[in-house]
Amino acid sequence: MGLGYIGLPTAIIAAKHGVKVVGVDINPEVVRLTNEGKLHIVEPGLQDLLVNVVENGSLRASTQPEDADAFFIVVPTPFKGDHEPDVSYVENATRMVLPYLKPGNLFVIESTSPVGTTEAMAQIILAERPELVGKIHIAYCPERVLPGNVIYELVHNDRVIGGLDEASTDAAIAFYSQFVEGKLHRTNSRTAELCKLTENSSRDVQIAFANELSMVCDQAGINVWELINLANKHPRVNILQPGCGVGGHCIAVDPYFITAAFPKQSRIIAQARATNNYKASWCVEKIKNAMLRFELNHKRPPVVAMMGLAFKPNIDDLRESPAKRITTAVMQSCNNANILVVEPNIKEHKVFKLTPYDEAYEKADIVALLTAHNEFKTLPWRDDKVILDFCGIFKK
Ligand code: SAJ
């Protein structure tokens, strides 16, 4: 259930390993494209595999579920209001499969979910279908793949599998062992749910530490890149890299699933979110100050290059991107400046007029390096420009 960034690759890899898969999505366009063997997401290597499994009949897509041995919920869990998790997609997908569940079936949630979601879905299932009590296996097994490396990681990453009971864990392990070569670690559903949230929160906290250091260093006149490099020479220190904030729909979202449910107990996690969000506003202020100074000194508005819109290097994904947020904020507050927007990984954008990266770099008086794309690393340092290196291209 769900043919997005995780559901579709999972369906393809399972099909490649001999599982007969029906991929269900509520979007008919996604279903049409998948059945035509056309990949609707960007993921290296996956297009050829899709053609393969569609042609040999092991994967087919549909807008409706049907009878099966195992059901997998792989739909988004965004947040709503004041960062409250929205599990309505998980619930809707669960309700869609309800009529098709039979004794002996396996029901697995992979979607990132607040603690207790698997138990809550089990309650819905068993309230509607009481004859299935004790007769179906229910488990939670979070995905852990890194976009861009999905084919490898789906097979080789370890997985955490938490059943509502031992038999459910066994059934889920039996399924995943068909294509996962990493270890399959057994636990209960609540631990597995919190484990997923913990992994992404841990990374968020570590990045917040690096971002905090970057702001301390800026104030102290110290090069943060050199500092982190030197501190990491300690055998037990491993600091991540600062940037212009944290984006994507995982690390910038999942920690809120902990802080919303356990606000008093999760202060560091909440502060890390606040620090990483603040880092983007800090970058906006730096750019605006540089523009003001330029205008005072040169008696004309500057040409500014905003380098990168994607949420991380070398991808085309702009979801929850701090670089995009910073670019929008700078454009909105500086009407008279000439802002050149650069994103080498996309051809065109409906809001931003894009400029080739080398042309923008050449023309700009102020260069804001927001995303560390490989293309930007080929540019030479220029003393005649104001370069705001938020993502460590020049490490100056
Ligand atoms: N970032 C930094 N500094 C760093 C590393 C990352 O500022 O040193 C920023 C990136 O620029 C980006 C954000 O953090 O804006 C997130 O990027 P990422 O590469 O850390 O992670 P995602 O969001 O692409 O994927 C994460 C992964 N989780 C972990 O590494 C713990 C992935 O394994 C998960 O499957 C994925 O979230 C998910 O779907 O939950």
Side-chain angles (χ1 to χ4, degrees), residues 143-145 196 200 203 207 240-241 247 250 311-312:
E143 62 80 16
R144 292 173 137 176
V145 293
K196 169 70 193 185
N200 281 352
R203 197 154 165 85
I207 298 168
L240 293 180
Q241 299 297 300
C250 306
F311 86 83
K312 68 178 195 175

Side-chain angles (χ1 to χ4, degrees), residues 223-225 381-383 387-389 392-396:
N223 180 327
V224 68
W225 314 101
W381 175 266
R382 291 270 297 262
D383 281 326
I387 299 179
L388 301 169
D389 187 4
I393 296 286
F394 295 106
K395 304 213 184 302
K396 286 201 180 192

Side-chain angles (χ1 to χ4, degrees), residues 91-102:
E91 184 172 335
N92 289 343
T94 302
R95 289 190 186 280
M96 274 178 84
V97 302
L98 255 175
Y100 302 94
L101 292 173
K102 297 186 303 293

